[in-house]
């Protein structure tokens, strides 16, 4: 009998071709990519998903959402919601246009003209950044309140039959325009200074006047910066919460962010309707970004090539000194008058001011109220909390944003484009809406985060991810990757190359990003307003609470302290805030 030996069919799996080294490397990289995507989805995506889901349901996310409905959106387009929508459109267009005119004008005067005191224009372009918008709005309440505003009292003393009323839609547009113009300046100053003057000179040779050159040459070449600044400012204005609340509540003027705050703060809270308003704000910002990209698609705006050039300054002629006067006027309106108003209120012992003479009388000034406010336990606790939270946000944010930027720009790992888009998403989400989503998320997620300072630190780090990642990425773009590759070729591990090459070369970008995150976190109110309790309130929240309680001396004192601290911090850290210092 012959026995035939055969291989078992099911006892062992069929053999497959071995994986190539590239394939094995790719599979090892995917777990890292998955972790990054999961973290981004959790910290950025989940709050937005909760807001979106709440906008289409009848109950709060904390109560299980409830049934599907469009009633929340319907309510937004009727009554008070419709008024808020119209007001937001007016504020966005009006304040955005004013900010663009001021910022663009300052940038052009500083970079391209022979205006006397051009350094003053450069200073004016960034000086209002040291005063938070909500502090500026409170200061203008002291200046232009219809009954007791300092400017109205002055006009009464001079016999001028005219009064200012800052508690109006026009007042909101004015203050928003004053304090958001630095963003236009920052975008346009670099564009104007890098523009090749030969193009304008060619237009002049062919008979074009200065107005025509600005319209047909300078303006079109600056279109990317103009559109970027315009979209950013419009988005920041329509999402701004404190200024419309401070200046609009007394006059019954609601904007969409203040409407969200009202829906959340009143009892019972209408959380689902607030979610619908938030989704509309996010949609509006997304449309703006898409429109901006479509307008710039397929066009070239290159004006700087290998050929060197010397920037040409435009002779303003008889308009040199009027231009200088306009720059001074802006500084007075945005900085000098608000600071004087805060100082007068902080050091005044008179509770009611009936005339301008009483306002400036030396006998009415004292340091007692100022010192008492600084020794207030609530103030001291909020300063302590702010320093702790902002320090954590600055350090942790710099580290995390560095790693995200490294992933996007240097790693070669999968899904880098998805990570890049995800890291920029918070820029399109209003801070107030993001705060609502964070509130819902951390209320349901188990752990000690909700009700602690940690939730504020997390909110700040996530909220300012676009700024942090952009700052780190710009530094990485200035450093040739060959420097890191040389270390790898010489036998250094990836971690050693990172520690001994990448981090030292990027130390200025890392320090400037940490400082920027600290300053932005110290100013932030919108993302904080729903996330604090009596033990975790920060300085911005304390100032807002004092305003709600009508404690103007405390408001003025705390506002001065915050503004002075931001000014000193920025001046002290100017070494790390110099653009391009890594290069």
């Amino acid at each position: 009998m012959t026995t035939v030996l055969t291989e078992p069919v099911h006892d062992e799996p069929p053999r497959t071709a071995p994986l190539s080294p590239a394939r094995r490397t790719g599979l090892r990289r995917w777990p890292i990519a998955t972790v990054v995507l999961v973290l981004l989805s959790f910290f950025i995506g989940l709050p937005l998903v909760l807001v979106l889901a709440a906008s289409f349901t009848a109950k709060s996310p904390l109560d299980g959402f409830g049934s599907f409905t469009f009633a929340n959106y319907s309510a937004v387009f009727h009554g008070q919601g419709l008024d808020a929508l119209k007001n937001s459109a007016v504020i966005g267009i009006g304040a955005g246009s004013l900010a663009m005119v001021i910022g663009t004008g300052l940038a052009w005067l500083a970079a391209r003209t022979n205006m006397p005191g051009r350094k003053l224009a450069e200073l004016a372009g960034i000086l209002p950044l040291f005063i938070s918008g909500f502090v500026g709005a409170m200061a203008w309440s002291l200046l232009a309140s219809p009954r007791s505003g300092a400017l109205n009292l002055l006009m009464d003393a001079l016999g001028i039959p005219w009064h200012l009323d800052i508690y109006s839609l026009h007042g909101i547009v004015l203050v928003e325009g004053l304090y958001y113009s630095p963003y236009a300046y920052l975008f346009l100053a670099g564009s104007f200074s890098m523009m090749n003057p030969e193009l304008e000179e060619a237009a002049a040779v062919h008979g074009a006047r200065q107005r025509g050159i600005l319209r047909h040459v300078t303006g079109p070449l600056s279109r990317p910066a103009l559109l970027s600044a315009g979209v950013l400012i419009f988005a920041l204005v329509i999402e701004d919460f404190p200024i419309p609340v401070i200046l609009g509540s007394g006059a019954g003027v609601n904007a969409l962010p203040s409407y969200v705050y009202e829906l959340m703060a009143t009892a019972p809270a209408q959380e689902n309707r607030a979610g619908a308003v938030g989704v509309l704000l996010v949609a509006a910002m997304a449309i703006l970004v898409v429109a901006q990209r479509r307008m710039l698609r397929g066009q070239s705006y290159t004006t700087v090539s290998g050929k060197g050039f010397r920037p040409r300054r435009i002779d303003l002629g008889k308009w040199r000194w009027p231009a200088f006067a306009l720059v001074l006027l802006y500084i007075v309106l945005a900085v000098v008058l608000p600071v004087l108003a805060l100082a007068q209120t902080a050091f005044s012992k008179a509770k009611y001011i009936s005339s301008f003479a009483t306002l400036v009388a030396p006998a009415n000034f004292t340091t007692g109220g100022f010192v008492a406010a600084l020794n207030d336990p609530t103030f001291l606790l909020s300063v302590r909390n702010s320093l702790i939270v902002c320090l954590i946000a600055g350090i942790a944010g710099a580290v995390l944003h560095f790693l995200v930027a490294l992933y996007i720009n240097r790693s070669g790992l999968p899904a880098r484009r998805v990570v890049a888009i995800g890291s920029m998403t918070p820029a399109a989400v209003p801070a107030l809406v993001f705060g609502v989503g964070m509130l819902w998320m951390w209320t349901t997620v188990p752990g000690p985060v909700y009700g602690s300072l940690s939730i504020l630190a997390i909110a700040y780090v996530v909220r300012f991810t676009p700024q942090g990642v952009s700052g780190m990425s710009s530094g990485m773009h200035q450093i040739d990757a060959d420097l890191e590759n040389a270390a790898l070729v010489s036998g250094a591990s990836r971690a050693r190359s990172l520690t001994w090459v990448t981090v030292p070369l990027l130390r200025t970008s890392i320090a400037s990003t940490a400082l920027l995150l600290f300053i932005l976190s110290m100013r932030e109110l919108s993302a904080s307003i729903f996330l604090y309790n009596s033990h975790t309130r920060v300085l911005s929240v304390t100032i807002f609470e004092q305003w709600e309680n009508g404690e103007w001396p405390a408001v003025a004192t705390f506002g001065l302290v915050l503004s002075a601290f931001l000014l000193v911090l920025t001046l002290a850290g100017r070494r790390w805030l110099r653009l391009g210092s890594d290069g």
Side-chain angles (χ1 to χ4, degrees), residues 89 229 416:
R416 285 181 298 162

Side-chain angles (χ1 to χ4, degrees), residues 46-55 57 59-63 65 260 264 269-276 278-279 432-446 450 455 530-531:
L46 183 55
L48 298 182
V49 169
L50 290 174
V51 172
L52 179 63
S55 70
T57 52
K59 292 183 180 180
S60 164
L62 306 180
D63 299 325
F65 290 111
V260 171
M264 293 291 295
Q270 302 181 57
E271 298 166 319
N272 301 82
R273 190 178 298 182
V279 171
L432 198 70
V433 176
F434 182 75
V436 172
M438 289 282 288
L439 170 67
W440 289 337
M441 184 180 86
W442 289 107
T443 303
T444 55
V445 173
Y450 181 73
I455 190 172
F530 295 127
L531 302 178

Side-chain angles (χ1 to χ4, degrees), residues 464-489:
F464 300 119
T465 294
Q467 291 89 333
V469 173
S470 296
M472 295 292 186
S473 296
S474 64
M476 289 183 184
H477 291 160
Q478 293 177 333
I479 298 173
D480 196 331
D482 288 345
L483 298 172
E484 301 160 3
N485 295 333
L488 296 175
V489 171

